[in-house]
Amino acid sequence: MQLPAALRDLDSTQRHTVVASFLGWTLDAFDYFLLTFVILAVAHEFGASKQDVTYGLFLTLAARPIGALIFGRLADRYGRRPVLMVDIVLFSVLEVACAFAPSLAVLLGLRFAFGIAMGGEWGIGASLAMESIPAKSRGMVSGLLQSGYPCGFFLAALVNWLLVDHIGWRGLFVVGALPALLVLYIRRKVPESPVWKSRRHHARESVFVSMRGHWKLFVYLMLLMAAFNMFSHGSQDMYPTFVQSTLKLPAGSSTAFLLTALLNLGALVGGLSFGALSERIGRRRAIIIAALLALPVIPLWTYGGSLLLLGLGAFLIQVMVQGAWGVVPTHLNELAPDAVRGTLPGFAYQMGNLLAAITATAQTWVAERRGGDFAFAMSSWIAAVAVLLALLTWLGPEARGVGFGRHRAARDAGADRG
């Protein structure tokens, strides 16, 4: 099968960089989503409620802005590549530590620390990839990079399906050490960002100097990413619990795994399709179309009435959710100033995550007030957020195809409203 033109145009080094960035986000998501599959098991072992355990998801998301700021600034100062390697090792070690938590309080503390490390990966990986490839390849690569997130979700589902009955929830977190091996690949195959190397003499500017004139953009991107994260986490985090509690399917059953696999297959199709589409119709239009097309799919997703229709709904909802997300890596990096591209996209993304961190807990609260009706909680949440996301995107700027590095002036002149 022939690669798309946008990927064929990359040389060997650029492909290694894209692969490493994709795998970094995939394995980061893998470690995050392991907890979503064992919420009931953790609650049972520690004698806690499901809502208590979901605070682990909240704390992880809430901590991610701290990591995005710390590791992003380090990446802007010392380079994308070395900081990315340190970050991957750190979140892998913290994931393993969760396996040995003696109480729920300790587990929640470790998930917060894990969130700090997780928060650094996306911004650094995305900037490293986007700064290393031709502008015409950004849309397709953006969709590919963001598809790493559902791939991580799928890997977590697969490992849970194959191993949870044999090694328990603690054993799953031990498996979470695997991402650390990615560092060996990055060290051997991935060079430093050429854009960062060309600006390394400016790397010691403070974040306040670098961000001068761009604070309004940061606030807008933070709000946009809050809507994006409510969209993504609202459709994913409680889905395993919905399958177990509402559909009454055991966590390790083949049917539960199939539904989750269809969900993630849809995410892959959506991310790649809308990422590539954004290269033709613009970043904003692609996001808006994907967000609004989610609305008619919601009834199938949670009220399908049969496994066939529920599977179709799971597939289609993620085509739209991750279709919108597939545009995010290139959209945010194109809008970011060169001097803070390691910091701004990731920090705005993770601050949006902070605003959206209550998603799983809020959905659980709504569901429990309606007798455990996760179908209502999830569907009403996604409907409201899809409209909000489309509106915020329509109101914002766009800088499709803008030059990086020495073309900074062109970036400022090229930013437009689509």
Side-chain angles (χ1 to χ4, degrees):
M1 185 176 66
Q2 194 175 42
L3 289 172
L7 298 181
R8 291 199 307 271
D9 289 341
L10 304 181
D11 62 30
S12 176
T13 299
Q14 291 168 336
R15 288 178 186 172
H16 283 304
T17 302
V18 170
V19 168
S21 298
F22 168 80
L23 289 176
W25 192 222
T26 297
L27 296 171
D28 202 349
F30 166 72
D31 279 357
Y32 170 78
F33 278 112
L34 282 177
L35 179 60
T36 72
F37 287 95
V38 296
I39 287 173
L40 297 180
V42 173
H44 177 73
E45 175 161 338
F46 291 129
S49 69
K50 295 191 295 290
Q51 187 170 336
D52 289 338
V53 179
T54 64
Y55 281 116
L57 303 177
F58 167 77
L59 289 169
T60 298
L61 299 181
R64 281 162 63 168
I66 302 172
L69 182 60
I70 293 172
F71 289 103
R73 287 310 295 163
L74 289 173
D76 280 332
R77 176 166 292 190
Y78 299 109
R80 320 300 192 208
R81 179 176 172 270
V83 177
L84 180 61
M85 290 191 290
V86 170
D87 183 68
I88 290 171
V89 170
L90 183 58
F91 76 68
S92 300
V93 169
L94 288 166
E95 182 76 359
V96 174
C98 292
F100 302 96
S103 66
L104 181 59
V106 172
L107 179 63
L108 295 180
L110 288 169
R111 296 313 287 180
F112 182 83
F114 169 79
I116 295 176
M118 184 182 185
E121 199 285 332
W122 185 90
I124 304 171
S127 62
L128 177 61
M130 291 299 158
E131 290 177 342
S132 302
I133 62 174
K136 63 182 179 180
S137 297
R138 288 181 198 153
M140 174 61 75
V141 171
S142 178
L144 178 63
L145 292 184
Q146 201 57 40
S147 294
Y149 201 67
C151 280
F153 193 174
F154 174 76
L155 284 177
L158 181 63
V159 168
N160 175 72
W161 178 49
L162 294 174
L163 299 179
V164 71
D165 290 337
H166 305 288
I167 63 176
W169 70 266
R170 293 182 183 274
L172 295 185
F173 287 119
V174 174
V175 176
L178 291 176
L181 299 176
L182 178 60
V183 168
L184 301 176
Y185 177 74
I186 295 174
R187 190 171 185 272
R188 182 176 177 85
K189 296 290 188 179
V190 179
E192 183 54 81
S193 158
V195 174
W196 181 84
K197 287 196 291 187
S198 71
R199 288 189 49 84
R200 65 196 313 168
H201 56 286
H202 297 300
R204 296 194 177 275
E205 290 179 350
S206 73
V207 66
F208 296 102
V209 171
S210 301
M211 280 295 295
R212 188 174 295 147
H214 300 288
W215 289 105
K216 286 183 179 179
L217 173 64
F218 169 72
V219 172
Y220 166 74
L221 291 179
M222 179 178 66
L223 295 175
L224 180 68
M225 295 314 299
F228 263 110
N229 281 292
M230 290 176 188
F231 203 34
S232 178
H233 290 289
S235 68
Q236 293 176 331
D237 289 9
M238 297 310 296
Y239 189 75
T241 303
F242 162 74
V243 168
Q244 295 168 49
S245 296
T246 303
L247 301 185
K248 307 301 182 185
L249 297 173
S253 71
S254 57
T255 304
F257 171 72
L258 179 61
L259 286 174
T260 305
L262 286 169
L263 185 114
N264 286 284
L265 179 61
L268 285 171
V269 171
L272 293 171
S273 299
F274 281 91
L277 181 64
S278 75
E279 208 60 61
R280 299 200 301 271
I281 68 173
R283 314 304 187 203
R284 291 165 60 247
R285 288 190 183 95
I287 293 169
I288 290 169
I289 290 171
L292 295 181
L293 284 178
L295 295 173
V297 176
I298 291 172
L300 275 179
W301 172 50
T302 49
Y303 293 102
S306 70
L307 288 176
L308 177 62
L309 293 178
L310 286 166
L312 180 61
F315 174 83
L316 290 176
I317 197 72
Q318 288 302 318
V319 168
M320 307 315 166
V321 171
Q322 295 302 324
W325 264 99
V327 187
V328 169
T330 185
H331 188 43
L332 265 62
N333 275 275
E334 285 173 337
L335 289 173
D338 291 325
V340 287
R341 190 165 293 114
T343 306
L344 178 59
F347 189 47
Y349 176 176
Q350 305 302 358
M351 282 300 294
N353 245 329
L354 176 60
L355 296 178
I358 199 67
T359 294
T361 303
Q363 287 182 325
T364 303
W365 183 87
V366 172
E368 291 183 349
R369 294 304 178 277
R370 294 179 59 90
D373 189 354
F374 277 95
F376 173 82
M378 292 164 60
S379 59
S380 57
W381 183 277
I382 291 300
V385 171
V387 174
L388 175 64
L389 176 59
L391 178 61
L392 284 171
T393 303
W394 177 69
L395 292 172
E398 181 172 327
R400 175 170 45 132
V402 70
F404 291 164
R406 65 182 182 278
H407 302 295
R408 169 66 183 274
R411 191 206 72 81
D412 294 331
D416 56 47
R417 290 178 52 81

